[in-house]
């Protein structure tokens, strides 16, 4: 069915955002919200990178007095907290927000206003931490703030509370985003996209969302317990009063370990999509890939103690957690096999996204293997809290999540903007980033083995650590320069890139069926799917289904396993309530740093905002069993 | 404007000046301009709390039944002004002679801490003391926690 | 030209044989872990080469040959998947068994007769106590650990304030010092010499400067050292030292103990045999007269944030105190 201009006109009137500032604030278009998330996260990545360069500069020479210890401690705390809570997880959520409806042939997410709300709340968390930094009250206790150092006796003031509330912001935002993504993937798939025909990318986003929902409560609980200890004198973590310091670590890492897989699993989704398209064959081992993602998601909840091997826990657990931590290499390794097998039996094209995937394999596998080394409870006693671990987690997070993210950015950039990024500058940026990263972080494995601990603002002369630190600094600087080239490429291509058309890469999944950039309503008609790679099927034009109303916002809800159409659901229009509710929540969270009364009083405010949000818009029924008859 | 004012004062309360030149002389009266940097600064007050134990003050001044003087009860024998409390610590302890044994900067921190004590709930003082249970107190140490 | 790679290797890897190195084991625990490290590097290195080989072959392959149907290659790939799974499992099994055996080795000395020590972490120094087997009393020192070669020292680790971590890489792995817990570590050094340990759990502003020296002596030399540490301080000799001792009795004695004199403060490190140590301020500076004097007069300049206050002393008093401390051998 070819869309006709009157249809386009009607859909556009229904789905487009109001113009100007009002449209900006009230939009519920998942693509605009995702773009905001991504821009904010990239800006924070840049700021965190500047902190990192500052720290690396400090460590270039021994006994350096350029940075005071207070400033350095604030820097690594801010760098870690920003990258882990404010960049990595949100940017993966953002990619899900942006791509999931497009890949499902849907017009919006399941809960559009909730999506807007989660962005504003995330922004609240960003501002909480970074405005505190601007006011020079940066939290300085690391990205995890262990008590008793973070308790009231050894951390006076509110720095630790600012950190803890930033966590609460971002975790509530993450929970909202995950519920949204999971509901969309489970209930809004196009007819014919049974679970067996769901692309690996969507499986990855679904599993990551479920993991978020299961793990976030632990960190919200533990940071609230910490604030309670500091503000209302509970004794959760105070051994002198009957509490337990290790309880904090258990609860924190119960969240902390799944979190890193929440960051990694969406990256496996990116890699799967890119490998399929650029190998020009359907992914090998679809079932293996899906089962690997599910088993990584499940296993990730049973490994947290490997962050605590040096704490002195009973030995009985050592072998179990060692075996479990190593076992997760099996599904991860099989995924790598499947991707390489796809390339082996396909016809690889070496455009920039594919090069990022190759960089991912080269880099992430090193990180995974250093992780296998630290998985041993015994060997970890030498490796933990040294630069070996710094090397390990940067290899898995940068190599395993950021490289696929950059590849995904290049891959889907044409879909978002209608332009192609420059291939030449993309490759230059890649060489800078990947080469600089490896030059910068590989020496850290050796530094850790040579005895250099973490979180030190300087080190003595004569330890033999000088040269490797200098190489690490040089590599980091090169990497950041590469990053600047990448960002410049992205910005300049927005205005000067070659027009891309709807499907520049001959992609396999549904997002390539919409225009580039996709209009607010994504698709004129609902696609009907018969295989895992609908865009590669023989039938042209694509089979579609009609029936969604065009004069008001509506989406199609289908069943969970078979994607059989069930009913049409009204989809929310642009609304002021998400930002109002986010403001109410922000006021409560920030005020509760200073007084516990903020919790009951703030709840009243939030209740008012939610009442406005959920105020029923439908008129009362006049007929039917509940009708008023009149 | 009120928010900005609150924010501005909040910053200075949280400031953590480490290694900067400390005062070398006692306070000059209760209006000495250097007082704010200590009395209103949470870090200095908490440092005073640590020295309160290390110099042995908590041996006699605590909220347990057998203490000498409960400093948290808002009763000030020599006056509440900063210089008055400073003088009480430095010169009014007879043979302990804290004015000679405790450096000037630490006396400032101790004064700020002592004057701050009564503004906290007893639970908070107990909670902080519980965390500092294993700290040495003057010439005695109970062992690690 | 041939010297360049050697020079480069020396520059890059100079710390491998160092006094704070995992790769230069001088004790039983470190030796077991070093063996496991080599095994892990070998297995992981082999796997990495396999993966890189597979990737390289995949990308290289399609350039030369004509395109054939992917479907016809599925059975070969399916079989290879099983092989890959088997290789991964084999590698993991080797490493899990290796880890289990190393874990057994680390705790092998439990239940045997050992020298008893107690090390407590403070912000930012180490209180070290030896149990005298004859009398049962605790002999206290600070910031420098001596161990007898070939004998097991069982260290009870605790903390007076926040979480620290006790780590001497050449001798053993690390164990945290957690408030509210008592952790034990067995140290069995095999090589004589000096080593260095450092705190490995972020504990505050000066975490970077919380280190300690470790000396491994032959058992006879160690016993002599311990006996010397148990004795009270040397008598004060000379007018300068006497002046130093009287200045010390004021501000310094409030926190530092010198056994045999009136100085009995426990808040700071025990200084009874201060001059016999190799470094000061928990491994921050080497023990020299100039460093000691600088440390006494301006600790905040050398280790900003350290709890030791800057005591205002006249230059003559500072010199006298440094002179006095130098007699505390």
């Amino acid at each position: 069915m070819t869309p006709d201009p009157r249809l386009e006109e009607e859909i556009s009137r229904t789905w487009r955002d109001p113009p100007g500032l009002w449209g900006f604030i009230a939009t519920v278009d998942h693509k605009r919200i995702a773009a905001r998330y991504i821009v904010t996260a990239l800006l924070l990545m840049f700021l965190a990178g500047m902190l990192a360069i500052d720290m690396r500069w400090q460590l270039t020479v021994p006994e350096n007095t350029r940075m005071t210890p207070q400033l350095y401690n604030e820097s690594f705390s801010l760098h870690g907290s920003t990258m882990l809570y404010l960049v990595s997880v949100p940017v993966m959520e953002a990619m899900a927000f942006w791509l999931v409806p497009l890949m499902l042939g849907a017009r919006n997410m399941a809960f559009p206003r909730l999506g807007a709300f989660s962005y504003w709340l995330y922004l609240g968390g960003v501002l909480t931490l970074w405005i505190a930094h601007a006011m020079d009250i940066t939290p300085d206790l690391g990205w995890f703030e262990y008590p008793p150092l973070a308790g009231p006796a050894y951390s006076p003031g509110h720095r630790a509370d600012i950190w803890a509330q930033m966590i609460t912001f971002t975790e509530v935002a993450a929970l909202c985003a995950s519920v949204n993504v999971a509901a969309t993937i489970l209930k809004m798939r196009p007819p014919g996209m049974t679970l067996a025909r769901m692309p690996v990318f969507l499986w990855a986003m679904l599993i990551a969302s479920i993991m978020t929902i299961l793990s976030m409560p632990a960190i919200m609980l533990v940071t609230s317990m910490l604030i309670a200890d500091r503000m209302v004198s509970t004794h959760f973590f105070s051994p002198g009063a009957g509490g337990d310091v290790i309880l904090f670590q258990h609860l924190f890492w119960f969240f902390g370990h799944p979190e890193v897989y929440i960051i990694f699993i969406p990256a496996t989704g990116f890699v799967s999509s890119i490998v399929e398209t650029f190998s020009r064959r359907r992914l090998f081992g679809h079932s293996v890939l899906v089962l690997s993602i599910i088993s990584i998601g499940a296993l990730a909840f049973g490994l947290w103690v490997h962050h605590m091997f040096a704490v002195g826990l009973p030995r009985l657990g050592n072998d179990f957690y060692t075996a479990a931590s190593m076992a997760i290499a099996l599904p991860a390794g099989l995924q790598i096999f499947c991707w390489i097998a796809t390339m082996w039996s396909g016809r690889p094209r070496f455009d920039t996204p594919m090069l990022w995937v190759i960089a991912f394999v080269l880099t992430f596998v090193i990180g995974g293997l250093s992780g296998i080394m630290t998985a041993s409870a015994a060997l970890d006693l030498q490796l933990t809290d040294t630069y070996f671990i710094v090397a390990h987690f940067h290899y898995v997070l940068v190599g395993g999540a950021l490289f696929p993210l950059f590849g995904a950015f290049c891959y889907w950039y044409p879909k978002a903007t209608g332009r192609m990024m420059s291939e030449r500058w993309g490759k230059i940026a890649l060489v800078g980033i990947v080469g600089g990263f490896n030059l910068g972080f590989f020496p850290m494995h050796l530094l850790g083995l040579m005895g250099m601990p973490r979180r030190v603002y300087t080190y003595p002369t004569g330890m033999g650590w000088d040269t490797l630190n200098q190489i690490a600094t040089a590599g980091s600087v090169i990497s950041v320069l590469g990053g600047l080239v990448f960002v410049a490429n992205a910005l300049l291509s927005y205005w000067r890139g070659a027009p891309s058309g709807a499907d520049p890469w001959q992609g396999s999944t549904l997002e390539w069926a919409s225009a580039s950039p996709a209009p607010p309503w994504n698709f004129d008609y609902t696609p009907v799917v018969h295989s895992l790679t609908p865009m590669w099927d023989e039938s042209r034009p694509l089979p579609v289904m009609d029936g969604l109303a065009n004069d008001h916002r509506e989406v199609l809800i289908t069943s969970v396993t078979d994607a059989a159409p069930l009913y049409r659901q009204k989809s929310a229009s642009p609304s002021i309530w998400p930002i109002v509710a986010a403001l109410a929540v922000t006021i409560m969270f920030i005020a509760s740093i200073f007084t516990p009364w903020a919790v009951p009083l703030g709840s009243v405010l939030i209740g008012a905002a939610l009442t406005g949000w959920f105020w029923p818009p439908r008129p009362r029924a006049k007929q039917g069993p509940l009708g008023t008859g009149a | 404007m009120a928010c900005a004012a609150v924010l501005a004062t909040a910053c200075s309360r949280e400031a953590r000046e480490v290694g900067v030149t400390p005062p070398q002389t006692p306070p000059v009266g209760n209006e000495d301009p250097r007082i704010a940097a200590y009395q209103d600064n949470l870090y200095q007050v908490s440092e005073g709390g640590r020295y309160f134990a290390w110099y042995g003050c908590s041996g006699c001044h605590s909220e347990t039944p057998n203490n000498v003087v409960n400093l948290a009860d808002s009763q000030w024998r020599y006056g509440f002004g900063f210089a008055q409390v400073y003088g009480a610590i430095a010169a009014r302890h007879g043979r302990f002679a804290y004015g000679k044994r405790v450096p000037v900067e630490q006396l400032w921190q101790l004064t700020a801490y002592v004057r701050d004590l009564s503004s906290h709930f007893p639970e908070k003082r107990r909670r902080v003391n519980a965390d500092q249970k294993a700290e040495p107190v003057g010439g005695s140490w109970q062992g690690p926690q | 030209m041939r010297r360049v790679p050697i020079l480069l290797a020396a520059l890059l890897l100079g710390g491998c044989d160092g006094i704070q190195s995992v790769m230069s084991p001088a004790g039983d625990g470190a030796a077991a872990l070093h063996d496991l490290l080599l095994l892990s590097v070998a297995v992981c290195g082999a796997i990495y080469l396999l993966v890189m080989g597979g990737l390289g072959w995949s990308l290289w392959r399609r350039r030369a040959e004509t395109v054939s149907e992917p479907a016809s290659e599925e059975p070969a790939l399916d079989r290879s998947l099983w092989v890959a799974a088997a290789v991964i499992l084999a590698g993991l099994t080797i490493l899990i068994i290796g880890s289990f055996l190393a874990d057994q080795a680390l705790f092998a000395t439990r239940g045997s007769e050992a020298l008893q020590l107690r090390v407590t972490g403070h912000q930012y120094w180490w209180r070290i106590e030896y149990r005298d087997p004859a009398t049962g009393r605790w002999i206290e020192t600070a910031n420098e650990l001596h161990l007898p070669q070939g004998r097991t020292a069982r260290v009870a680790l605790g903390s007076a304030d926040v979480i620290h971590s006790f780590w001497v890489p050449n001798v053993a792995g690390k164990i945290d010092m957690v408030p509210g817990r008592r952790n034990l570590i067995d140290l069995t050094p095999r090589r004589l010499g000096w080593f260095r340990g450092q705190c490995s759990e972020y504990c505050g502003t000066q975490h970077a400067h919380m280190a300690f020296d470790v000396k491994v002596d032959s058992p006879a030399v160690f016993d002599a050292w311990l006996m010397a540490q148990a004795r009270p301080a040397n008598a004060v000799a000379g007018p300068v030292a006497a002046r130093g001792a009287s200045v010390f009795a004021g501000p310094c004695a409030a926190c530092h103990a010198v056994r045999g004199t009136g100085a009995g403060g426990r808040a700071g490190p025990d200084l009874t045999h201060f001059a016999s140590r190799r470094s000061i301020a928990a491994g921050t500076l080497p023990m020299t007269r100039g460093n000691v004097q600088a440390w006494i007069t301006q600790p905040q300049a050398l280790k900003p944030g350290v709890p030791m206050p800057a005591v205002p002393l006249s230059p003559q008093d500072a010199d006298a105190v440094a002179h006095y401390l130098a007699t505390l051998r």
Side-chain angles (χ1 to χ4, degrees):
Chain A
M1 291 151 120
T2 30
D4 66 285
R6 274 178 306 138
L7 177 70
E8 295 273 324
E9 173 59 32
E10 198 185 2
I11 295 184
S12 175
R13 246 182 294 123
T14 306
W15 282 91
R16 67 171 174 240
D17 281 326
L21 185 64
W22 177 254
F24 183 85
I25 292 179
T27 184
V28 294
D29 181 349
H30 69 99
K31 298 183 291 300
R32 288 185 77 182
I33 295 168
R36 264 170 227 184
Y37 253 112
I38 291 172
V39 168
T40 312
L42 287 178
L43 179 64
L44 287 169
M45 196 190 300
F46 172 75
L47 291 174
M50 290 297 103
L51 286 169
I53 295 295
D54 204 11
M55 289 191 282
R56 281 265 31 111
W57 201 256
Q58 165 70 10
L59 291 174
T60 308
V61 295
E63 290 301 348
N64 199 350
T65 50
R66 183 183 70 86
M67 277 175 97
T68 65
Q70 177 67 22
L71 180 61
Y72 187 92
N73 297 339
E74 289 176 7
S75 296
F76 74 68
S77 307
L78 193 59
H79 172 81
S81 300
T82 299
M83 287 307 289
L84 282 158
Y85 302 118
L86 301 178
V87 173
S88 304
V89 173
V91 84
M92 296 304 177
E93 287 166 8
M95 294 298 280
F97 256 57
W98 198 76
L99 280 163
V100 163
L102 284 171
M103 229 183 247
L104 291 176
R107 287 190 173 166
N108 204 342
M109 299 207 63
F111 305 115
R113 290 173 298 181
L114 189 64
F117 173 77
S118 63
Y119 174 75
W120 294 120
L121 211 55
Y122 158 71
L123 186 65
V126 169
L127 292 176
T128 303
L129 191 62
W130 279 87
I131 290 183
H133 180 56
M135 299 195 325
D136 204 22
I137 45 176
T138 322
D140 61 344
L141 301 169
W143 77 277
F144 46 71
E145 295 207 347
Y146 283 166
L149 183 60
Y154 297 103
S155 265
H158 289 302
R159 295 178 189 232
D161 304 315
I162 288 171
W163 173 88
Q165 282 301 55
M166 175 275 293
I167 304 256
T168 315
F169 271 107
T170 49
E171 306 321 343
V172 175
L175 272 171
C176 296
S178 302
V179 163
N180 215 345
V181 170
T184 309
I185 294 178
L186 288 174
K187 293 292 287 185
M188 285 177 61
R189 295 201 305 282
M193 190 187 274
T194 62
L195 283 178
R197 293 194 198 131
M198 195 164 85
V200 174
F201 175 90
L202 291 170
W203 276 107
M205 290 305 182
L206 177 65
I207 301 297
S209 301
I210 295 177
M211 287 174 71
T212 308
I213 295 168
L214 292 175
S215 66
M216 288 299 164
I219 183 109
M220 287 177 62
L221 180 67
V222 82
T223 51
S224 305
M225 288 161 80
L226 182 67
I227 295 183
D229 261 21
R230 293 171 55 84
M231 178 179 294
V232 295
S233 308
T234 51
H235 322 122
F236 294 114
F237 310 122
S238 177
D244 189 347
V245 162
I246 303 304
L247 176 65
F248 183 95
Q249 297 192 22
H250 277 295
L251 284 172
F252 181 87
W253 288 113
F254 184 80
F255 150 81
H257 190 75
E259 147 143 304
V260 301
Y261 288 100
I262 289 169
I263 297 171
F264 173 63
I265 285 178
T268 67
F270 301 154
V271 171
S272 301
S273 300
I274 294 172
V275 166
E276 185 168 73
T277 298
F278 288 86
S279 301
R280 293 181 275 192
R281 68 145 284 177
R282 180 180 294 190
L283 273 175
F284 170 77
H286 173 86
S287 322
V288 173
L289 282 167
V290 171
L291 286 172
S292 295
I293 292 178
I294 294 177
S295 54
I296 290 176
L299 266 173
F301 281 89
L303 305 183
W304 78 92
V305 175
H306 70 225
H307 298 270
M308 298 163 63
F309 278 147
V311 163
L313 295 176
R315 278 183 66 205
L316 188 61
N318 282 355
D319 296 318
F320 170 77
Y321 283 104
T322 295
S325 304
M326 291 199 186
I328 209 163
L330 182 61
L334 290 178
Q335 282 184 306
I336 307 253
F337 180 88
C338 289
W339 292 321
I340 294 181
T342 309
M343 295 182 221
W344 186 83
S345 61
R347 295 177 298 131
R349 284 169 37 195
F350 297 101
D351 301 294
T352 309
M354 187 63 155
L355 294 177
W356 279 111
V357 165
I358 294 170
F360 152 77
V361 175
L362 290 172
T363 312
F364 171 73
V365 175
I366 296 179
L369 292 170
S370 63
I372 294 298
M373 290 171 67
T374 61
S376 158
L379 189 54
D380 199 40
L381 294 180
Q382 290 284 41
L383 302 175
T384 192
D385 251 297
T386 68
Y387 264 79
F388 191 94
I389 297 286
V390 176
H392 159 68
F393 66 69
H394 281 94
Y395 263 87
V396 286
L397 285 173
V398 174
L402 287 190
F403 289 176
L405 179 72
F406 295 150
F409 190 91
C410 297
Y411 180 51
W412 279 298
Y413 186 91
K415 179 54 57 186
T417 61
R419 307 266 186 177
M420 302 294 287
M421 285 174 76
S422 157
E423 278 291 308
R424 179 155 63 106
W425 287 105
K427 288 174 172 130
I428 292 174
L430 183 145
V431 169
I433 294 175
V434 176
F437 171 80
N438 277 286
L439 185 68
F441 284 87
F442 196 83
M444 293 186 187
H445 292 108
L446 294 166
L447 278 172
L449 290 172
M450 290 181 190
M452 184 170 177
R454 288 173 74 174
R455 305 189 181 112
V456 291
Y457 77 98
T458 187
Y459 53 92
T461 49
M463 298 300 294
W465 299 340
D466 304 12
T467 313
L468 287 173
N469 267 298
Q470 285 157 1
I471 297 176
T473 304
S476 309
V477 170
I478 295 172
S479 192
V480 168
L481 290 174
L484 290 174
V485 172
F486 186 94
V487 169
N489 186 6
L491 286 174
L492 288 174
S493 302
Y494 191 77
W495 288 282
R496 294 168 37 170
S500 66
D503 190 8
W505 308 114
Q506 283 90 55
S508 56
T509 40
L510 281 177
E511 74 273 20
W512 301 105
S514 72
S516 295
W521 61 93
N522 298 337
F523 296 91
D524 291 343
Y525 303 103
T526 307
V528 176
V529 161
H530 297 296
S531 78
L532 270 169
T533 52
M535 291 296 286
W536 288 351
D537 291 346
E538 295 305 323
S539 49
R540 276 290 186 278
L542 276 180
V544 298
M545 202 178 92
D546 195 6
L548 281 180
N550 296 318
D551 61 343
H552 60 271
R553 292 183 175 221
E554 218 171 51
V555 291
L556 181 67
I557 305 296
T558 56
S559 66
V560 174
T561 46
D562 292 330
L566 291 180
Y567 55 89
R568 296 174 296 166
Q569 165 87 26
K570 257 192 83 176
S571 184
S573 304
S575 161
I576 194 65
W577 290 110
I579 195 172
V580 169
L583 270 169
V585 175
T586 301
I587 291 173
M588 182 185 105
F589 283 169
I590 304 254
S592 64
I593 293 175
F594 301 101
T595 164
W597 283 110
V599 176
L601 294 175
S603 303
V604 169
L605 211 58
I606 295 175
L610 291 179
T611 307
W613 183 326
F614 291 112
W615 195 263
R618 294 185 301 279
R620 297 183 65 186
K622 300 251 187 315
Q623 282 143 1
L626 300 174
T628 53
Chain B
M1 282 302 294
C3 289
V6 166
L7 288 177
T9 47
C11 301
S12 61
R13 292 195 75 215
E14 298 275 348
R16 224 168 263 185
E17 303 286 341
V18 163
V20 168
T21 326
Q24 304 288 329
T25 57
V28 180
N30 291 331
E31 307 302 323
D32 191 322
R34 297 172 293 175
I35 289 175
Y38 282 80
Q39 191 63 64
D40 295 339
N41 187 282
L42 297 162
Y43 172 69
Q44 301 293 359
V45 167
S46 105
E47 286 292 287
R50 299 192 77 186
Y51 291 114
F52 193 80
W54 291 340
Y55 282 114
C57 316
S58 54
C60 292
H61 296 292
S62 63
E63 288 170 80
T64 58
N66 58 345
N67 80 100
V68 172
V69 175
N70 181 357
L71 295 174
D73 61 5
S74 305
Q75 309 291 325
W76 302 98
R77 204 195 299 182
Y78 303 107
F80 181 64
F82 194 94
Q84 291 159 322
V85 176
Y86 185 106
I89 299 173
R92 301 279 197 161
H93 279 81
R95 62 182 175 88
F96 291 110
Y98 290 123
K100 293 198 184 63
R101 299 173 65 213
V102 179
V104 172
E105 184 195 13
Q106 275 58 44
L107 283 170
W108 280 76
Q109 289 171 337
L110 285 166
T111 309
Y113 171 73
V114 163
R115 294 179 76 233
D116 192 70
L117 265 180
S118 46
S119 66
H120 294 296
F121 288 118
E123 298 89 60
K124 171 155 184 186
R125 292 193 292 271
R126 272 199 292 272
R127 169 74 169 83
V128 171
N129 290 338
D131 266 355
Q132 297 183 322
K133 215 171 66 165
E135 297 267 22
V137 175
S140 71
W141 181 57
Q142 309 296 333
Q145 271 224 50
Chain C
M1 213 37 215
R2 264 179 308 147
R3 299 230 300 271
V4 171
I6 299 172
L7 206 60
L8 212 55
L11 268 177
L12 293 176
L13 304 173
C16 288
D17 293 333
I19 58 172
Q20 191 173 321
S21 172
V22 173
M23 297 182 287
S24 173
D28 285 359
L33 295 176
H34 186 249
D35 292 340
L36 181 57
L37 174 71
L38 293 177
L39 177 68
S40 306
V41 170
V43 171
C44 294
I47 293 182
Y48 189 67
L49 289 173
L50 279 172
V51 174
M52 290 311 111
L55 179 66
W57 185 25
S58 310
L59 299 174
W60 190 256
R61 182 181 188 240
R62 282 299 166 179
R63 302 197 154 270
E65 300 169 24
T66 51
V67 175
S68 63
E69 268 306 308
S72 66
E73 296 175 323
E74 292 284 313
L77 287 174
D78 283 337
R79 281 194 298 273
S80 311
L81 183 68
W82 286 104
V83 171
V87 169
I88 295 174
L89 275 173
L92 293 181
T93 307
I94 294 173
L95 292 177
I96 290 176
I97 294 176
S99 175
F100 175 76
L101 293 173
D103 197 69
Q104 297 286 92
L106 290 183
F107 291 90
T109 42
R110 285 293 154 89
S112 61
E113 193 58 46
L115 178 69
Q116 284 191 41
L117 279 85
R118 191 166 73 172
V119 176
T120 308
H122 293 254
Q123 281 180 325
Y124 303 97
W125 59 281
W126 309 83
R127 187 191 304 263
I128 299 172
E129 297 168 281
Y130 289 83
R131 192 155 190 277
D132 185 355
T135 60
R137 284 185 308 122
W138 290 95
I139 302 164
E140 183 170 326
T141 177
N143 295 332
E144 187 170 287
L145 184 69
H146 284 235
L147 296 171
Q149 182 194 31
R151 276 181 62 192
T152 299
R154 184 156 302 140
V155 187
L157 297 163
S159 168
D161 39 34
V162 299
I163 304 179
H164 301 274
S165 191
F166 180 92
W167 190 39
V168 188
N170 292 77
V171 179
K174 66 181 66 71
I175 297 283
D176 286 354
M177 304 156 92
V178 181
R181 293 180 83 85
R182 189 78 67 254
N183 284 335
L184 291 175
I185 186 171
D186 284 355
L187 303 174
T188 312
R190 296 287 175 193
R191 197 165 14 115
L192 297 171
W194 283 100
F195 304 103
R196 191 171 185 267
Q198 194 163 353
C199 177
S200 306
E201 183 63 56
Y202 179 63
C203 56
T205 310
Q206 279 294 345
H207 165 69
H209 282 131
M210 184 173 163
F212 57 102
D213 296 305
V214 179
K215 179 90 194 305
V216 178
D217 290 315
S218 66
V221 173
F222 171 78
D223 289 335
W225 175 86
L226 192 59
M227 247 185 6
Q229 291 289 316
R231 284 199 290 267
N234 297 333
V236 177
V240 185
R243 178 179 176 169
S246 73
V247 172
F248 189 92
C252 316
C255 295
H256 292 286
V258 178
R259 277 176 278 124
T261 69
R266 303 298 296 284
D270 185 290
L271 299 180
T272 310
H273 299 284
F274 173 71
S276 69
R277 295 179 202 156
R278 195 159 101 131
S279 63
I280 65 173
T284 305
L285 296 161
M287 171 73 75
T288 66
R289 197 43 206 284
N291 282 342
V292 170
Q293 194 150 340
W295 176 251
I296 295 170
T297 41
Q298 273 302 343
Q300 298 294 331
L302 297 169
K303 195 169 163 179
V306 71
M308 171 153 157
V311 180
L313 293 174
S314 71
Q316 295 89 347
D317 281 344
D319 185 72
V321 174
H323 195 97
Y324 168 63
L325 289 175
T327 68
L328 294 177
R329 217 161 282 291

